[in-house]
Amino acid sequence: DSGVTQTPKHLITATGQRVTLRCSPRSGDLSVYWYQQSLDQGLQFLIQYYNGEERAKGNILERFSAQQFPDLHSELNLSSLELGDSALYFCASSEKGTGIPEAFFGQGTRLTVV
Amino acid sequence: GENVEQHPSTLSVQEGDSAVIKCTYSDSASNYFPWYKQELGKRPQLIIDIRSNVGEKKDQRIAVTLNKTAKHFSLHITETQPEDSAVYFCAASDYNQGGKLIFGQGTELSVKP
């Protein structure tokens, strides 16, 4: 167990809908990262939050957004869903700022858009 | 842009043999290079990492080497076992700039008994 918790584990929804994925980082970790894993794209960095602020942005679609709350949990919002958004979405956390770069992953949310 | 190339995409070895996976990164600012093992449907698990001020690191049957000049780093697994079968990902990051990971495409390792 990495200490990073993601909910839900599985999500099935229809095209055009909106979903929210939730991530609780390891205790003490200030950074949360979101990654998308699809069969043809591998593991792609989406976005990073550090202590409530957006820190870095990757290949994240405009239909996707995220935030990190004062208790450091994070949510990834996916809207106007398309079939191609079906993927595993992973959250990872690390303790940036102390020179400890190791990132630990949650178990992921498998999103299926039908 | 930032890119990590990983080879081979698939690797099949006999139990007891060694396995080597190679990665090349493009961003010269990268200073942290972790390796993750991912079993089917599960989370990527950190197995070993190396920082740019070190050329080699070993942990039991696993070792990683880094050549900063050539921007190459490699994972070496000795005395492979069937439970080593999984997909392995290399990654590169600049942890002074937030630590986002840029992943290679993955290597599916199969260890045959």
Side-chain angles (χ1 to χ4, degrees):
Chain A
D1 184 5
S2 66
V4 181
T5 303
Q6 287 187 249
T7 57
K9 288 186 179 180
H10 303 278
L11 201 49
I12 301 175
T13 189
T15 54
Q17 295 299 305
R18 172 189 170 94
V19 297
T20 297
L21 314 183
R22 182 188 170 102
C23 169
S24 294
R26 293 188 314 161
S27 177
D29 283 358
L30 301 178
S31 268
V32 169
Y33 309 81
W34 287 97
Y35 293 88
Q36 178 192 56
Q37 186 174 35
S38 55
L39 283 175
D40 58 344
Q41 293 292 322
L43 275 159
Q44 297 283 320
F45 168 72
L46 293 178
I47 196 164
Q48 177 202 0
Y49 277 81
Y50 173 70
N51 203 20
E53 300 289 327
E54 183 183 302
R55 183 65 176 86
K57 221 168 186 177
N59 299 321
I60 187 167
L61 299 171
E62 286 191 9
R63 300 183 286 108
F64 297 180
S65 65
Q67 54 185 327
Q68 187 178 27
F69 295 87
D71 67 353
L72 300 179
H73 92 271
S74 178
E75 293 181 354
L76 179 66
N77 302 296
L78 315 177
S79 62
S80 304
L81 285 167
E82 302 175 359
L83 295 177
D85 296 328
S86 295
L88 260 174
Y89 291 84
F90 286 105
C91 161
S93 74
S94 73
E95 192 180 6
K96 181 195 176 291
T98 63
I100 301 174
E102 290 89 345
F104 296 91
F105 283 74
Q107 78 274 27
T109 294
R110 181 173 294 280
L111 173 67
T112 303
V113 182
V114 297
Chain B
E2 303 150 324
N3 188 48
V4 175
E5 294 289 332
Q6 182 173 346
H7 298 281
S9 56
T10 60
L11 181 57
S12 181
V13 300
Q14 289 295 131
E15 181 176 2
D17 287 350
S18 295
V20 180
I21 303 171
K22 299 183 178 182
C23 291
T24 304
Y25 61 98
S26 63
D27 187 358
S28 56
S30 297
N31 50 28
Y32 175 64
F33 308 90
W35 286 86
Y36 286 85
K37 175 184 180 182
Q38 187 180 29
E39 295 174 357
L40 190 62
K42 297 192 175 180
R43 77 184 83 201
Q45 289 189 295
L46 179 67
I47 56 171
I48 195 168
D49 57 16
I50 192 167
R51 302 190 191 198
S52 58
N53 58 349
V54 176
E56 184 172 358
K57 184 177 178 180
K58 190 173 182 180
D59 182 5
Q60 299 183 333
R61 297 186 296 109
I62 295 174
V64 59
T65 59
L66 171 65
N67 182 330
K68 284 172 51 181
T69 303
K71 297 182 186 174
H72 290 169
F73 57 114
S74 301
L75 177 71
H76 305 251
I77 305 175
T78 58
E79 301 172 18
T80 54
Q81 301 165 3
E83 50 265 39
D84 293 330
S85 297
V87 179
Y88 290 81
F89 290 93
C90 64
S93 85
D94 176 359
Y95 64 81
N96 293 318
Q97 295 298 323
K100 68 178 184 185
L101 295 170
I102 305 301
F103 283 92
Q105 299 88 336
T107 296
E108 184 174 2
L109 174 63
S110 175
V111 181
K112 299 183 178 180

